[in-house]
Amino acid sequence: GQSLEQPSEVTAVEGAIVQINCTYQTSGFYGLSWYQQHDGGAPTFLSYNGLDGLEETGRFSSFLSRSDSYGYLLLQELQMKDSASYFCAVRGYSTLTFGKGTMLLVSP
Amino acid sequence: DVKVTQSSRYLVKRTGEKVFLECVQDMDHENMFWYRQDPGLGLRLIYFSYDVKMKEKGDIPEGYSVSREKKERFSLILESASTNQTSMYLCASSPAGGLGYGYTFGSGTRLTVV
């Protein structure tokens, strides 16, 4: 089976940089995804790491270390609209298994 | 634009009722999924399908069944609704090779069983 650990809540101020960590234990691993969900909205895809290293998409970056079973999402130049829940998800053979989510609160 | 549509945003049903949640995607995706989302528990996979008439159990299939008669439509069925099935239900789809980065979610159906 799969299990993922990520912090339940993170707070930061506008303009800052925040890192959301994700550790996982899995019997089959093909990659790590990140999804964003605003309150009342649908989860939307942010980033995917199939290989070790850093992937950058605008203000967001995601990192994976397969040897450490660890990844993180890095959000730079935080904006109020980044307040949302962020989920890491392990890609297994057939499906994604999601973590419990990290609520990011951005304050002025 | 890619779209997954869930038929109801809010639904209230009585204990013991048979409940149908409908999901339609317009992207010609092979894979479709049903998750439920509960506070503090994240998204948990109920069932998924990788082809018409094919279905696979996820992590929490008990009390649920699914139907996929057409490629674009994936239905979740609560055979006899119970109060512990009160939850947000999310449908998603992905192309055959897009398991890591291709999930598109619907806006969800918030089901309350009374």
Side-chain angles (χ1 to χ4, degrees), chain A residues 33 35 37 40 42 45 96 100, chain B residues 9 35 37 40 99-101 103 106:
Chain A
S33 298
Y35 284 75
Q37 185 182 31
F45 170 76
L96 286 181
K100 296 179 179 180
Chain B
R9 185 77 171 117
Y35 286 85
Q37 183 174 22
L99 289 179
Y101 41 83
Y103 273 43

Side-chain angles (χ1 to χ4, degrees), chain A residues 9-100:
Chain A
E9 188 174 302
V10 173
T11 58
V13 297
E14 260 187 313
I17 299 172
V18 73
Q19 179 173 312
I20 300 174
N21 297 321
C22 175
T23 57
Y24 59 88
Q25 289 184 310
T26 177
S27 56
F29 180 84
Y30 291 82
L32 189 70
S33 298
W34 289 91
Y35 284 75
Q36 178 193 60
Q37 185 182 31
H38 285 99
D39 194 29
T44 56
F45 170 76
L46 285 178
S47 186
Y48 175 71
N49 294 75
L51 301 172
D52 285 0
L54 194 68
E55 293 284 340
E56 297 181 79
T57 309
R59 295 188 296 114
F60 295 179
S61 304
S62 60
F63 172 82
L64 175 66
S65 169
R66 296 166 73 116
S67 60
D68 295 321
S69 297
Y70 165 75
Y72 65 73
L73 180 69
L74 190 74
L75 299 86
Q76 303 183 73
E77 301 172 18
L78 279 175
Q79 302 175 10
M80 297 294 291
K81 67 178 181 179
D82 298 328
S83 291
S85 291
Y86 293 83
F87 295 87
C88 59
V90 164
R91 178 191 171 188
Y93 180 72
S94 301
T95 63
L96 286 181
T97 299
F98 287 82
K100 296 179 179 180

Side-chain angles (χ1 to χ4, degrees), chain B residues 54-72:
Chain B
M54 305 301 290
K55 60 183 179 183
E56 297 284 344
K57 293 180 180 178
D59 299 316
I60 52 165
E62 297 77 19
Y64 304 94
S65 63
V66 290
S67 172
R68 193 166 181 202
E69 296 297 318
K70 294 184 177 181
K71 189 176 185 179
E72 67 270 19

Side-chain angles (χ1 to χ4, degrees), chain B residues 2-90:
Chain B
V2 168
K3 209 165 191 182
V4 175
T5 303
Q6 295 184 231
S7 55
S8 304
R9 185 77 171 117
Y10 298 94
L11 214 51
V12 180
K13 295 292 181 180
R14 294 197 179 276
T15 301
E17 275 193 79
K18 191 169 186 176
V19 181
F20 293 84
L21 302 184
E22 306 289 344
C23 175
V24 177
Q25 51 98 0
D26 64 2
M27 299 160 285
D28 200 34
H29 282 174
E30 285 76 15
N31 304 319
M32 296 189 75
F33 309 84
W34 276 106
Y35 286 85
R36 65 176 282 176
Q37 183 174 22
D38 301 287
L41 296 178
L43 285 76
R44 294 180 291 165
L45 181 64
I46 305 171
Y47 266 97
F48 65 101
S49 168
Y50 51 86
D51 201 353
V52 176
K53 296 193 185 294
M54 305 301 290
K55 60 183 179 183
E56 297 284 344
K57 293 180 180 178
D59 299 316
I60 52 165
E62 297 77 19
Y64 304 94
S65 63
V66 290
S67 172
R68 193 166 181 202
E69 296 297 318
K70 294 184 177 181
K71 189 176 185 179
E72 67 270 19
R73 186 179 295 270
F74 193 36
S75 303
L76 180 69
I77 303 155
L78 286 67
E79 299 291 343
S80 177
S82 64
T83 55
N84 63 12
Q85 292 178 311
T86 291
S87 186
M88 170 68 84
Y89 290 88
L90 291 163

